[in-house]
């Protein structure tokens, strides 16, 4: 298994490009199931989760062409299966996103239940109840969600909590339903908005996306479209935390600062100097960070997907900070590993109290999930000496060539491939 070796202590300087957003690209690829025409997508990041999605779609009969320039064309004109098998779903929970489109267009789907994951249980009962409200006959059988419908019928659906992929799945189902659907308590994340924008280009009638009430008037069919995936706000935020911890002066091109309000505000509070244009962010840091408290929240609040990275910055702060995780029940897996680097963190339930230390010291640590991995890389960049981050396949799921981008910024980081490390 690959590892990253980081020699910390080098300030980051230079310019990199931000990739397309993983969590926008995943539902958008699944939206390709809603039409027999082609979707031409650009700014699709090169990530393992994207390859898994293309494999999953390929298994259903979708034709996908991936081009060198980060564009992908998908065509779902010859669907040969309506089943998402356990082997593919278990490696990537977002596979549940094929459920809504398959039931909406083909009136049938069999999708494996994802099961728990490192950050929490992550059930999908809201997806299932929402589809039932749209008239699907849906139940769980042998570990699979099995759904049938002649044509879905619009309904008012209020989810019990704000769910990002739940909103996306139900929106994709409702676009082909008969009549009007209203999604109340809908997720407002930019990735949900990006999906809605694509669906509108495909002929869907959607309004209210970006608010917590999305109104969808079903249409008979959708057509092909071209779409550019929005920039990844979590990738950009992770690089900003990295310069906060390692210090230096960086510019991020192809970013979307207007989707990053909460992160940028917290990083300014930590002492970073940040200036933004429409599609770029410049950030510099020349001192120890100030401690910042955070409480994760649905968009536009502080993203749970940025919690671990900001905690890495707080471990170096001049003072104590309090971090409360409200979205997932088990998203402090990085804490044990940060302690190995010399951080001082106490956890009490959903709250972590971080007492900043003047320095961290390199050690071997293990990545447990995607954002935890990024947090360990950030801490490693600031730590004295060598840090080895193991199990970085998590990182490869969601960050495009992170070590290359960090090397461009002057970091001393390299990948040890399976062979070199055994
Ligand atoms: N929930 C339920 N029942 C449901 C659906 C959700 O109890 O039917 C709970 C979850 O267990 C969680 C909360 O509701 O406690 C919010 O979960 P949500 O459904 O919003 O999460 P998700 O859609 O599965 C997406 C992102 C995650 C991100 C979360 C929260 C994608 C593919 N994934 O997950 O991204 O953390 O929203 O913003 O969009 C990541 O990229 O590292 C990542 C984990």
């Amino acid at each position: 298994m690959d590892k990253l070796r980081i020699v910390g202590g080098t300030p980051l300087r230079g310019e990199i490009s931000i990739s397309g957003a993983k969590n926008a690209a995943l539902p958008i690829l699944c939206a390709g199931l809603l039409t027999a025409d082609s979707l031409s997508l650009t700014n699709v990041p090169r990530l393992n989760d994207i390859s898994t999605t293309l494999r999953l779609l390929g298994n259903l009969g979708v034709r996908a062409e991936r081009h060198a320039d980060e564009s992908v064309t998908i065509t779902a004109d010859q669907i040969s299966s309506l089943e998402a098998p356990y082997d593919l779903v278990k490696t990537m929970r977002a596979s549940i996103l094929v459920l809504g489109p398959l039931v909406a267009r083909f009136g049938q789907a069999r999708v494996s239940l994802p099961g728990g994951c490192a950050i929490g249980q992550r059930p999908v009962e809201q997806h299932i109840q929402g589809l039932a409200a749209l008239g699907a006959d849906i139940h769980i059988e042998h570990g699979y969600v099995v759904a049938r419908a002649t044509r879905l019928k619009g309904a008012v659906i209020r989810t019990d909590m704000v769910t990002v992929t739940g909103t996306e799945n139900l929106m994709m189902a409702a676009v082909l339903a008969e009549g009007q659907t209203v999604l109340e308590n809908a997720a407002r994340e930019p990735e949900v908005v990006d999906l809605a924008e694509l669906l509108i280009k495909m002929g869907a009638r959607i309004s209210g996306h970006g608010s917590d009430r999305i109104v969808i008037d079903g249409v008979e069919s959708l057509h092909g479209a071209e779409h550019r995936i929005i920039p990844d706000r979590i990738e950009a935020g992770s690089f900003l935390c990295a310069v906060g911890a390692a210090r230096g002066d960086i510019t991020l091109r192809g970013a979307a600062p207007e989707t990053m309000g909460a992160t940028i505000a917290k990083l300014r509070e930590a002492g970073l100097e940040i200036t933004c244009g429409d599609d770029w962010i410049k950030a510099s840091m020349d001192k120890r960070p100030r401690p910042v408290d955070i409480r994760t929240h649905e968009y536009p609040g502080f993203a749970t997907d940025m919690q671990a990275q900001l905690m890495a910055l707080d471990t170096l702060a001049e003072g104590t900070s309090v971090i409360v995780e409200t979205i997932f029940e088990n998203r402090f897996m990085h804490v044990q590993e940060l302690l190995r680097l010399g951080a001082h963190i106490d956890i009490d339930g959903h709250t972590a109290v971080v007492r900043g230390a003047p320095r961290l010291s390199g050690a071997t640590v293990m990545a447990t999930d995607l954002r935890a991995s990024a947090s360990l890389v950030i801490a490693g960049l600031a730590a004295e000496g060598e840090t080895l981050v193991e199990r970085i396949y998590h990182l490869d799921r969601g960050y495009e060539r992170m070590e290359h981008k960090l090397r461009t910024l002057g970091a001393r980081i390299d990948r040890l491939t399976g062979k070199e490390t055994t």
Side-chain angles (χ1 to χ4, degrees):
M1 260 185 275
D2 292 4
K3 302 177 183 183
L4 285 181
R5 178 172 53 200
I6 305 166
V7 179
T10 311
L12 303 179
R13 295 194 195 285
E15 196 173 299
I16 52 169
S17 294
I18 294 304
S19 299
K22 167 180 84 83
N23 289 347
L26 297 178
I28 282 175
L29 287 169
C30 295
L33 288 167
L34 288 165
T35 173
D37 293 348
S38 295
L39 285 191
S40 291
L41 306 171
T42 52
N43 208 27
V44 180
R46 295 197 160 260
L47 300 171
N48 285 353
D49 273 8
I50 299 294
S51 313
T52 306
T53 306
L54 293 177
R55 243 193 346 271
L56 174 68
L57 293 174
N59 221 44
L60 301 171
V62 177
R63 287 180 292 127
E65 283 168 47
R66 207 172 175 157
H67 312 284
D69 60 346
E70 314 239 316
S71 68
V72 172
T73 310
I74 49 172
T75 316
D77 58 350
Q78 289 164 18
I79 292 300
S80 51
S81 157
L82 298 172
E83 174 168 325
Y86 178 63
D87 277 353
L88 285 168
V89 177
K90 75 174 183 206
T91 63
M92 196 192 59
R93 303 181 46 81
S95 310
I96 192 77
L97 286 165
V98 300
L99 180 63
L102 286 179
V103 182
R105 179 160 162 230
F106 302 100
Q108 209 176 316
R110 195 164 176 273
V111 178
S112 173
L113 274 174
C117 78
I119 63 177
Q121 285 185 12
R122 306 182 73 185
V124 289
E125 85 289 348
Q126 301 299 314
H127 305 230
I128 294 172
Q129 288 168 16
L131 283 168
L134 293 173
D137 170 14
I138 188 164
H139 57 276
I140 293 168
E141 196 178 277
H142 306 300
Y144 278 73
V145 181
V146 180
R148 277 207 164 72
T150 35
R151 185 171 177 203
L152 296 172
K153 289 206 169 48
V156 177
I157 303 170
R158 185 178 179 83
T159 44
D160 292 345
M161 76 286 297
V162 177
T163 155
V164 176
T165 50
T167 302
E168 292 164 348
N169 233 341
L170 296 177
M171 190 160 67
M172 288 192 281
V175 288
L176 288 180
E178 189 185 330
Q180 188 173 79
T181 298
V182 180
L183 299 179
E184 294 183 347
N185 204 22
R188 290 180 283 169
E189 269 63 8
E191 295 75 17
V192 174
V193 175
D194 203 32
L195 172 64
E197 300 286 351
L198 164 83
L199 292 169
I200 291 168
K201 286 180 193 166
M202 293 169 72
R205 293 172 56 202
I206 303 175
S207 61
H209 45 297
S211 80
D212 61 0
R213 187 171 185 276
I214 303 178
V215 179
I216 302 142
D217 286 295
V219 295
E220 293 281 335
S221 65
L222 296 176
H223 50 73
E226 290 177 12
H227 188 73
R228 182 173 173 82
I229 308 287
I230 54 166
D232 197 313
R233 63 195 167 104
I234 308 299
E235 187 201 17
S238 302
F239 282 107
L240 295 181
C241 287
V243 75
R247 304 188 192 176
D249 190 344
I250 64 170
T251 301
L252 308 178
R253 298 273 170 208
E258 82 278 6
T259 62
M260 296 174 59
T263 298
I264 290 175
K266 283 293 166 191
L267 290 171
R268 283 187 173 138
E269 204 179 311
L272 276 85
E273 294 283 336
I274 299 179
T275 47
C276 305
D278 282 350
D279 62 352
W280 56 266
I281 305 173
K282 204 169 151 39
S284 64
M285 183 69 161
D286 59 3
K287 54 182 181 290
R288 247 182 104 180
R290 287 192 288 267
V292 285
D293 295 341
I294 57 168
R295 190 182 176 85
T296 61
H297 201 277
E298 295 89 10
Y299 191 84
F302 189 89
T304 174
D305 289 346
M306 282 303 303
Q307 178 256 108
Q309 302 89 311
L310 203 102
M311 188 186 291
L313 187 60
D314 267 339
T315 64
L316 291 157
E318 226 168 338
T320 299
S321 31
V322 178
I323 296 181
V324 185
E325 171 58 53
T326 71
I327 306 291
F328 291 110
E329 65 273 20
N330 192 28
R331 213 173 194 182
F332 282 147
M333 300 283 280
H334 42 286
V335 168
Q336 285 306 319
E337 303 301 306
L338 289 171
L339 294 182
R340 295 181 49 72
L341 296 171
H344 304 298
I345 308 167
D346 291 305
I347 301 179
D348 184 7
H350 289 170
T351 303
V353 177
V354 186
R355 279 177 295 124
R359 63 190 64 82
L360 299 175
S361 65
T364 299
V365 289
M366 195 180 283
T368 48
D369 73 78
L370 172 53
R371 309 302 169 188
S373 317
S375 152
L376 298 174
V377 170
I378 291 164
L381 290 169
E384 283 175 0
E386 183 175 286
T387 294
L388 280 179
V389 184
E390 299 195 336
R391 298 203 179 164
I392 53 156
Y393 54 85
H394 293 292
L395 200 69
D396 295 333
R397 290 185 52 186
Y399 289 89
E400 184 171 330
R401 306 184 320 133
M402 190 186 220
E403 77 272 20
H404 291 257
K405 292 190 184 183
L406 284 169
R407 263 206 306 276
T408 305
L409 297 175
R412 293 173 64 195
I413 178 168
D414 49 4
R415 179 180 290 250
L416 309 180
T417 55
K419 267 194 187 140
E420 289 169 81
T421 58
T422 49

